[in-house]
Amino acid sequence: MAMVKNWQAALARVRAALMRRGRTRQDADDLVQEAWIRLACQEQHQFVAKPEAFLMRVALNLSIDEYRSAERHGEQVLIEDLVMVDSSPSAETILLARERLARISACLAQLDPRTRRIFLAHRVDGLSYFEIAREQNLSISSVEKYIAKATLVLTRSMEGW
């Protein structure tokens, strides 16, 4: 009976050492069990003078090996533990976006061609006022006015959306 208590205490010390190194109780128990099996196999072939030290060293080495394996191969996750998230937009969001796009297209169609071209060059193509002015043979002040006009028409048309 004293021998069983000694082994229980030894196994508890090995488990505690693993848990101090960041292992969960379940992982520590698994590693202690594997170390115990290796001790039993070793004792079949050769006398182990310090079985608790053997258990401790084997359990710590197994823990290190598992850590290195996880680093190399990534953490393994059970499929039951995964939470699947659908990041695609909902049907309602898609429908609203299509309606908004149709409305913006209709608003842009209301603009005269030059105003539309200048507005899209700035907003879509990312050109600066200076670049648009040079390209359209206008002053920067004129480009500002065209863009302000287009912005005002679009803002009024899109109110409530």
Side-chain angles (χ1 to χ4, degrees), residues 94-145:
I94 292 171
L95 180 63
L96 287 173
R98 285 181 181 161
E99 288 178 3
R100 186 173 290 132
L101 185 59
R103 182 134 181 161
I104 289 173
S105 294
C107 294
L108 286 171
Q110 292 174 7
L111 298 173
D112 66 87
R114 188 172 206 181
T115 303
R116 181 175 44 251
R117 191 172 47 250
I118 290 171
F119 179 77
L120 293 175
H122 179 64
R123 289 299 192 134
V124 175
D125 299 333
L127 298 178
S128 68
Y129 288 179
F130 176 77
E131 292 168 324
I132 296 169
R134 189 178 59 211
E135 185 180 287
Q136 296 291 321
N137 234 4
L138 297 170
S139 68
I140 293 175
S141 174
S142 295
V143 171
E144 290 172 346
K145 288 175 186 169

Side-chain angles (χ1 to χ4, degrees), residues 1 14 48 68 71 78 99 114 120 122 142 158-159:
M1 185 72 169
V14 173
V48 177
R68 287 179 181 160
E71 285 292 306
L78 296 174
E99 288 178 3
R114 188 172 206 181
L120 293 175
H122 179 64
S142 295
M158 294 301 291
E159 280 182 356

